[in-house]
Structure formats: C-alpha cells, structure tokens
Amino acid sequence: MLRKIRIICAFLCFSLITLLFLDFTGSIHAWFGWLAKIQFLPALLALNAGVVIALILLTLILGRVYCSVICPLGVFQDIVSWIAGKRKKNRFRYSPALTWLRYGVLAVFIIALVAGAGPLVALLAPYSAYGRMASNLLAPLYQWGNNLLAYWAERVDSYAFYSVDIWMKGIATFGIAAGTFIVLVLLAWRNGRSYCNTICPVGTVLGFLSRYAYLKPVINTEKCNGCGLCARNCKASCINSKEHSIDYSRCVACMDCIGKCHQGAIAYAHPRKSAHTEKREEVSHARRNFLTITSLFATTTFLKAQEKKVDGGLAVIEDKKIPDRATPITPAGSQSIRNFTQHCTACQLCVSVCPNQVLRPSSSLSRLMQPEMSYERGYCRPECTKCSEVCPAGAIRPITVADKSSTQIGHAVYVYENCVINTDGVECGNCARHCPTGAIQMLPSIADDPNSPKLPVVNTERCIGCGACENLCPARPFSAIYVEGHENHRTV
C-alpha cells in the first residue's frame, strides 16, 4: 500500500511539473506553479525558509521521499529503471557507497556557488537538469502535436487550438540537455539511482538528514531468511542482505523492498536499538560530517542571497541577427545582472512560458544556459509578467504590471548606418510609432529645415528597454535601433 501511494504521488508531481515546461499558454502555472517553488535548491536560493524547513522536516520524519516523489529528475530515473526492469528482473545488488565521490561533487558544487560559477551549478542542479530536458527535448514534440491538432481543427472550423512557432532557443543548451538525457538514461537503465547517490548534490545533503529519519525501512532479522530479494530489487543498491543492514543515506524510501519481501521481514517503521546499532564513534563521525556540510551549505546560500518571415505574402524577408550588446538584458524583476546570475539555476521555466519568445538560453560561457533577452522574434510587452510569476529560485522577483512599466532594464541605441533612411533613402518612423513609453521622437535631421528627413531620437530617461523598437525595425540583418542592457535596473 505504501509503495502504491508513493507511486501515485510521484506520478502526479512528475506529470504536473513536466506540463509546467510544456504549457505555452500559462494556464497550468496558475494552478500548479507552486510545484516548481517547492524544489529544494530553487527554494534555498530564493531564501524560501518555509519550504526549506518543510522539506528538512519531511526528510527527518519520512526519509528521502523528496527524491522519490517531488524531484522530477528522480522520478524520471525511476521510470527508466522500471522500463529496464521489464526485461531483466532482480538485477540490482548491494554496492558500498562512493563516499569520496559524493563529498567531492558536493564540495565542487559549493565552491561553484561561492565563486558564482552559474553554469556549473546549473549543470549539477537536479530540478534544472530535468527542466532543460523537458524544455528542449519534449516541448518541441508537444508543440508539433498541438500544431497538428490546430491544423485539423481549422479544417472543421474550430479554433480550440492555435499554431505556435517551433524553434531552437539555444544550440549549446540543447546539446547539454541531450547529453544529460543520454547519461541519465544509461545510468538509470543499468544501475537505477546511481546518479542520485553519487553525483546529485541535493541527494547528498538530504542523505545526511535521512540517516536520522524517524521512519525508515527496517529489517527484522528474526523473519529474514537471507534470500536477498530485497537487495536485488533495491535501485539505490543500499541494502546489504548478508549483514541485514541498510545505508539510509542512500535509501530514497521507494518502498520497493517492502513490496518484494515474501517473509514480511521489512517494515517502514522507527528502528529500535539492537546489537547491530552503529558504533558510537561512527555515529559521532556521521553527525560531525552532517553538521559541517549543512553549515557550509547554509552559509554559502546566505552569501549568495546577498550579494515570423512574412511581409504580406511573396517576398522572403531576411532573418534578423542578434546585435553585439556590451551588457546583456535580464528581465524586469531580476533587479540586476549580478542578482540574476547568482540565483538562476537555468531550469528554463521562464523560457518555456515567455509568450513573446524574448527569453532564450545564453551561449556565453560565463552565463551558459541562463536565460537572457533578445528581440529578434518579439519584444517584452509591458503588460506581461509571466517570467516573474514562475521563477522558483528568486532570480526574477515577482513584479506588478505597474512596476514593470516603470523599470528600466536597458535603453535604446540608434545606429544611423543601419537605418533605411540611410540605406534606402526612405523615411520610416516605425520605432517611434510603436514605442509604448513615447521615448522615441522623430526630429528633422537638419535643425533649421523642418522638411529634412526625420531621424529617431531616444529619450534614455523614458526608455524602459522593452525592445519594441528593435523588434519592429524593418532594417536587416541588424536593426537600426537596438537595446543595450543595464547592469543594475532603474526606476523611471
């Protein structure tokens, strides 16, 4: 029964979290966006104390149920392992913990957090790794299916579905997502939860806590006949059937062993003192390790917290190219580039929900996989705040429409050499007509001649950097006006 309850809860969490990355309408986030905010590392970076404390208490009471129910990457590995188990049953065996590797990866992760090495942190974060796989590998398939439904619905005069553009948002991020997918599938297919118990930093931290969980699988030596069936079905490889012991730091409380034991020798209960209890020195050593790592992790987190191709029908229009910005543009609500890069785990959730296709993963080595703004496919509409609503890590703080309309994330820069007035000898004014803040005016190029060609002049005090001018500029391949980002956002 416990195993069935765990599977049902895990299936619901996994399905809904996956839909958060696939849904391009934003409707699912209104109901289930909280599932992204209860992920351990994003909650820690966002200083969401309530969630962090709740997850710690959950682990101290029930063990690592977070890894087997809430974490989508953990459930994904369980699915792969379950499929592999259809071909070969009883395929696991006990293996000693690779303590040096677990601590080593955790140490590297903490150093990366302190040093501000965002790409490395994002690469090791479990929730973000799954988010990139869902956003880059599953979302295109989901969108193709949607477009097919839209095509057939249109044939019967129904508009219940609408077509969406499908495009690769970042080659580097796509490659990393595909590589992560391949590695995880191979590991889970052969060894079950080896990734969670050797590489995942969140799994290592929760492993310390789960040693002291009130409830955990316990072997009754009087009932056990030593068949080893529990060990051969433990995907965490943490049951030593010969010594009747379980490595609780690696146990993910999946309950598979309980369901497989024909003697009823394993129960999910509070372990009682016995002759097999660990020696005092070992317990003391484990506690010191736990306190040291937990303190270091908490200190690190505290330090981080401070700190369309148509013109009406016939001619093919050349694609726009991304301008060479001296300073990248981050969304309103991120406050500054420093705050954004320190908190962002590159989960791609904001990229998935951006309705204007402005957010995309960065290809810059220092900000690899972290979202940045660019306006070749659309512009950041002042009335849209979706990215700030879904960010679980505090990289993009919640912001109102009024606040966004007065937040200057950058300013427009005019380039006369690219303007159609210079290249084609015609007047345009598209940028001024579509500027939502009225920050662009068309003034005569010759002050004393009101009939001279008019050029755009940008009022940088009013410009908020939304990118409407850059996106709607007809100049190709580079817009005659583009947005330069601000290191620190300002209020206009």
Coordinates of all heavy atoms in Angstrom, one line a residue, residues 22 55 72 80 83 95 97 100 116 149-150 164 200 271 290 312 325 330 445 459 461 481:
L22 N 6.0 22.4 -20.6 CA 5.4 22.2 -21.9 C 4.3 23.2 -22.2 O 4.1 23.6 -23.4 CB 4.8 20.8 -22.0 CG 5.8 19.7 -21.8 CD1 5.1 18.3 -22.0 CD2 7.0 19.8 -22.7
L55 N 10.8 20.8 3.9 CA 11.5 19.7 3.2 C 12.5 19.0 4.2 O 12.6 17.8 4.2 CB 12.2 20.2 2.0 CG 11.3 20.6 0.8 CD1 12.2 21.2 -0.3 CD2 10.5 19.5 0.3
P72 N 11.5 15.8 -10.0 CA 11.2 15.2 -11.3 C 12.3 14.4 -11.9 O 12.1 13.4 -12.6 CB 10.9 16.4 -12.1 CG 11.6 17.6 -11.5 CD 11.6 17.3 -10.0
V80 N 12.7 5.1 -16.1 CA 13.7 4.4 -17.0 C 14.0 3.1 -16.3 O 14.1 2.1 -17.0 CB 14.9 5.3 -17.2 CG1 16.0 4.5 -17.9 CG2 14.6 6.6 -17.9
I83 N 11.2 0.6 -16.8 CA 11.2 0.0 -18.1 C 12.3 -1.0 -18.3 O 12.0 -2.1 -18.9 CB 11.3 1.1 -19.2 CG1 10.1 2.1 -19.1 CG2 11.4 0.6 -20.6 CD1 10.3 3.3 -19.9
S95 N 26.1 -2.4 -3.2 CA 27.4 -1.9 -3.5 C 27.7 -0.8 -2.5 O 26.9 0.0 -2.1 CB 27.5 -1.3 -4.9 OG 26.6 -0.2 -5.0
A97 N 29.0 2.5 -0.7 CA 28.8 3.9 -1.1 C 30.1 4.5 -1.5 O 31.2 4.3 -0.9 CB 28.3 4.8 0.1
W100 N 33.7 9.2 -1.3 CA 34.7 10.2 -1.8 C 34.1 11.0 -3.0 O 34.3 12.2 -3.1 CB 36.0 9.6 -2.2 CG 35.9 8.6 -3.3 CD1 35.6 7.3 -3.3 CD2 36.0 8.9 -4.7 NE1 35.5 6.7 -4.5 CE2 35.8 7.7 -5.4 CE3 36.2 10.1 -5.4 CZ2 35.8 7.6 -6.8 CZ3 36.3 10.0 -6.8 CH2 36.1 8.8 -7.5
G116 N 30.4 31.9 -7.9 CA 29.5 32.5 -8.8 C 29.6 31.8 -10.2 O 29.2 32.4 -11.2
L149 N -3.0 19.3 -34.2 CA -4.4 19.5 -33.7 C -5.0 20.8 -34.2 O -6.2 20.8 -34.7 CB -4.5 19.4 -32.2 CG -4.2 18.1 -31.5 CD1 -4.2 18.2 -30.0 CD2 -5.3 17.0 -31.9
A150 N -4.2 21.8 -34.2 CA -4.7 23.1 -34.7 C -5.0 23.0 -36.2 O -6.0 23.6 -36.7 CB -3.7 24.2 -34.5
V164 N 1.7 27.4 -33.0 CA 2.8 28.2 -32.3 C 4.1 27.9 -33.1 O 4.2 26.9 -33.8 CB 3.0 27.8 -30.8 CG1 1.8 28.1 -30.0 CG2 3.3 26.3 -30.7
C200 N 24.4 13.8 -7.5 CA 23.5 14.8 -7.2 C 23.8 15.5 -5.8 O 23.8 14.8 -4.8 CB 22.0 14.2 -7.1 SG 20.8 15.5 -6.7
P271 N 13.2 2.5 13.7 CA 14.1 1.5 14.2 C 14.4 1.5 15.7 O 14.6 2.5 16.3 CB 15.4 1.8 13.4 CG 15.3 3.2 13.1 CD 13.9 3.5 12.9
F290 N 27.7 15.7 9.0 CA 26.4 16.3 8.6 C 26.4 17.8 9.0 O 26.0 18.7 8.3 CB 25.3 15.6 9.4 CG 24.0 16.3 9.4 CD1 23.2 16.5 8.2 CD2 23.5 16.9 10.6 CE1 22.0 17.2 8.3 CE2 22.3 17.6 10.6 CZ 21.6 17.8 9.5
G312 N 3.4 40.1 -46.0 CA 2.1 40.2 -46.7 C 1.9 39.1 -47.7 O 0.8 38.8 -48.2
R325 N 25.7 43.2 -28.0 CA 25.4 44.0 -26.8 C 26.6 44.0 -25.8 O 27.1 42.9 -25.5 CB 24.2 43.5 -26.1 CG 22.9 43.4 -27.0 CD 21.7 42.9 -26.2 NE 20.8 42.2 -27.0 CZ 19.8 42.8 -27.7 NH1 19.7 44.1 -27.7 NH2 19.0 42.1 -28.5
T330 N 18.5 41.4 -18.8 CA 17.8 40.5 -18.0 C 16.4 41.0 -17.7 O 16.1 42.2 -17.7 CB 18.5 40.3 -16.6 OG1 18.7 41.5 -15.9 CG2 19.9 39.7 -16.9
S445 N 16.5 65.9 -39.5 CA 17.9 65.7 -39.4 C 18.7 67.0 -39.5 O 19.9 67.1 -39.0 CB 18.4 64.8 -40.6 OG 17.9 65.3 -41.8
N459 N 14.9 59.3 -25.9 CA 15.0 59.8 -24.6 C 15.3 58.7 -23.6 O 14.4 57.9 -23.2 CB 13.6 60.5 -24.3 CG 13.7 61.2 -22.9 OD1 14.6 61.0 -22.1 ND2 12.7 62.0 -22.6
E461 N 15.9 58.7 -20.6 CA 15.3 58.8 -19.3 C 13.9 58.1 -19.3 O 13.4 57.7 -18.2 CB 15.1 60.2 -18.9 CG 16.5 60.9 -18.7 CD 17.3 60.3 -17.6 OE1 16.7 59.9 -16.6 OE2 18.5 60.2 -17.8
I481 N 18.1 50.2 -34.6 CA 17.9 50.6 -33.2 C 17.9 49.4 -32.4 O 17.2 48.4 -32.7 CB 16.7 51.5 -33.0 CG1 16.7 52.2 -31.6 CG2 15.4 50.8 -33.3 CD1 15.7 53.3 -31.4

